[in-house]
């Protein structure tokens, strides 16, 4: 279950960033109607920046996915090895959250 939630959050983040890149590319295409050397230079700079952002996104996506999976696996192993401690920790955290929520 935790693996599914972590994967869903990562996928949502990556989809949002990819949508941002795609929207920026469309904006770049729409600026093609602008005339002049400055507009061409601006489009070229934006295009290069998008390519770098896309490469960075791919590297970040791989890194986040690996770290997220490692964290989920480590947590699951800990919970399976120490079920009563895990229950105690969860109860303590729930109690603290309850205290904080009632203070507001």
């Amino acid at each position: 279950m935790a693996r599914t939630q972590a994967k869903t959050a990562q996928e949502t983040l990556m989809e949002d960033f990819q949508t941002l890149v795609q929207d920026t590319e469309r904006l770049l295409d729409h600026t093609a109607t602008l005339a002049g050397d400055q507009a061409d230079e601006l489009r070229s700079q934006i295009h290069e920046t998008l390519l770098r952002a896309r490469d960075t996104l791919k590297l970040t996506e791989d890194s986040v996915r690996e770290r997220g999976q490692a964290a989920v696996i480590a947590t699951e192993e800990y919970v399976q090895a120490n079920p009563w401690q895990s229950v105690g920790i969860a109860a303590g955290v729930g109690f603290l959250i309850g205290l904080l929520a009632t203070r507001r």
Side-chain angles (χ1 to χ4, degrees):
M1 183 170 142
R3 285 185 187 177
T4 305
Q5 290 176 346
K7 183 177 274 188
T8 303
Q10 290 173 357
E11 289 173 354
T12 302
L13 177 64
M14 300 316 294
E15 288 172 3
D16 289 347
F17 192 77
Q18 288 173 347
T19 301
L20 174 65
V21 170
Q22 290 171 354
D23 290 346
T24 306
E25 286 176 338
R26 277 196 300 250
L27 178 62
L28 180 63
D29 290 339
H30 290 301
T31 62
T33 58
L34 296 176
D37 293 335
Q38 290 179 342
D40 291 338
E41 184 178 330
L42 178 61
R43 279 193 295 277
S44 175
Q45 289 175 355
I46 292 172
H47 183 68
E48 290 174 13
T49 303
L50 280 173
L51 291 176
R52 278 186 269 138
R54 186 172 278 168
D55 291 341
T56 302
L57 171 65
K58 182 62 177 158
L59 292 173
T60 303
E61 178 182 10
D62 294 341
S63 174
V64 167
R65 181 171 284 133
E66 289 173 9
R67 286 186 289 159
Q69 288 175 348
V72 168
I73 289 170
T75 302
E76 287 179 350
E77 288 174 355
Y78 179 82
V79 169
Q80 290 176 1
N82 305 298
W84 290 110
Q85 285 179 334
S86 301
V87 169
I89 291 170
V93 169
F95 178 74
L96 291 175
I97 291 173
L99 283 177
L100 293 173
T102 57
R103 287 186 161 200
R104 292 185 176 201

